């Protein structure tokens, strides 16, 4: 938090919630918020359970304190879900631009090249319509000395381009709430 990073919750347990009862999942969402508040002094504004179940989105919306949910791979840009009362911003996550793909054999150059290729395609497409490139990072993977250089090179590469915004998910959330509210929103 002091370093200016967003600490979004990854849930209370790394479970597949497909067959978890509603009360247990609701309790886990509540505990995830409670633990983060106790440890960091701030509540999470976003959540990514990682393995959501059929009740996850509704339970997150009912909890009431989350501004966005990232338990979706359904689009390249954020979008609104209005199925459960107040609109819930969905900021899609990614499994392909994600260091987990390289957990067993990630060399910095390989990760750099993959991200660079993805960025180049999105940057070219972005000339005619907005694009968002989400990158999943885990300190235990990309934070290793032999892998961190690939990420540093990629960030330098991205910064060498014009009209690119490198930001946190909570900043995307703020932008979307200010500039892309759904027509029926009462935010």
């Amino acid at each position: 938090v002091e370093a200016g990073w967003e600490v979004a919750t990854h849930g209370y347990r790394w479970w597949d919630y497909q067959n978890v009862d509603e009360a247990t999942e609701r309790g886990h969402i509540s505990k995830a918020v409670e633990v983060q508040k106790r440890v960091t002094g701030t509540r999470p504004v976003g959540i990514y359970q990682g393995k959501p179940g059929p009740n996850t989105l509704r339970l997150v919306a009912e909890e009431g304190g989350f501004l966005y949910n990232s338990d979706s791979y359904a689009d390249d840009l954020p979008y609104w879900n209005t199925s459960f009362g107040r609109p819930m911003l969905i900021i899609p996550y990614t499994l392909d631009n994600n260091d987990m793909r390289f957990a067993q054999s990630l060399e910095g150059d390989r990760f750099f090249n993959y991200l660079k290729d993805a960025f180049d395609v999105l940057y070219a497409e972005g000339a005619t319509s907005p694009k968002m490139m989400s990158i999943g990072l885990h300190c235990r993977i990309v934070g290793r000395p032999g892998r961190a250089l690939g990420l540093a090179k990629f960030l330098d590469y991205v910064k060498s381009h014009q009209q690119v915004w490198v930001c946190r998910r909570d900043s995307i959330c703020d932008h979307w709430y200010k500039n892309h509210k759904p027509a029926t929103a009462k935010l």
Side-chain angles (χ1 to χ4, degrees), residues 80 89 165 171-182 187:
W80 295 99
L89 181 62
W165 182 31
S171 298
I172 294 169
C173 178
D174 290 345
H175 172 82
W176 222 257
Y177 271 82
K178 289 175 186 165
N179 298 291
H180 304 285
K181 291 181 185 169
L187 305 173

Side-chain angles (χ1 to χ4, degrees), residues 16-176:
D16 182 345
Y17 284 93
Q18 285 299 315
N19 298 306
V20 173
D21 66 271
E22 192 173 311
T24 299
E25 185 174 10
R26 180 181 285 112
H28 282 190
I29 291 168
S30 178
K31 287 178 183 177
V33 171
E34 177 188 319
V35 168
Q36 184 165 327
K37 283 164 79 174
R38 189 174 55 234
V39 172
T40 69
T42 62
R43 77 153 281 133
V45 296
I47 186 169
Y48 172 70
Q49 290 275 71
K51 298 178 180 182
N55 300 311
T56 303
L57 183 57
R58 179 176 52 79
L59 294 174
V60 167
E62 288 174 2
E63 192 275 340
F66 291 106
L67 298 178
Y68 72 86
N69 182 310
S70 286
D71 279 313
S72 173
Y73 311 99
D75 208 329
D76 290 333
L77 291 173
Y79 60 92
W80 295 99
N81 181 301
T82 56
S83 301
F84 305 109
R86 94 176 186 24
M88 172 62 70
L89 181 62
I90 309 297
I91 302 178
Y93 192 65
T94 181
L95 292 177
D96 78 316
N97 297 320
N98 192 313
D99 63 4
M100 287 297 288
R101 291 184 63 238
F102 302 96
Q104 295 301 313
S105 61
L106 170 65
E107 301 88 27
D109 281 342
R110 218 171 117 217
F111 192 50
F112 165 75
N113 287 324
Y114 190 88
L115 294 178
K116 179 186 174 296
D117 288 349
F119 174 82
D120 287 345
V121 169
L122 292 170
Y123 190 77
E125 291 177 354
T128 57
S129 63
K131 298 296 170 194
M132 179 182 83
M133 181 177 176
S134 181
I135 304 172
L137 301 173
H138 305 81
C139 59
R140 68 188 181 280
I141 299 172
V142 79
R144 304 300 301 157
R147 299 171 175 159
L149 185 58
L151 178 60
K153 285 170 48 178
F154 175 70
L155 291 171
D156 288 343
Y157 180 75
V158 167
K159 289 190 286 186
S160 74
H161 291 74
Q162 294 182 1
Q163 295 184 304
V164 174
W165 182 31
V166 178
C167 63
R168 306 175 321 192
R169 287 180 174 273
D170 60 350
S171 298
I172 294 169
C173 178
D174 290 345
H175 172 82
W176 222 257

Side-chain angles (χ1 to χ4, degrees), residues 1-16:
V1 175
E2 291 174 11
W5 299 341
E6 176 192 6
V7 181
T9 188
H10 216 326
Y12 187 66
R13 294 282 187 254
W14 187 240
W15 286 3
D16 182 345

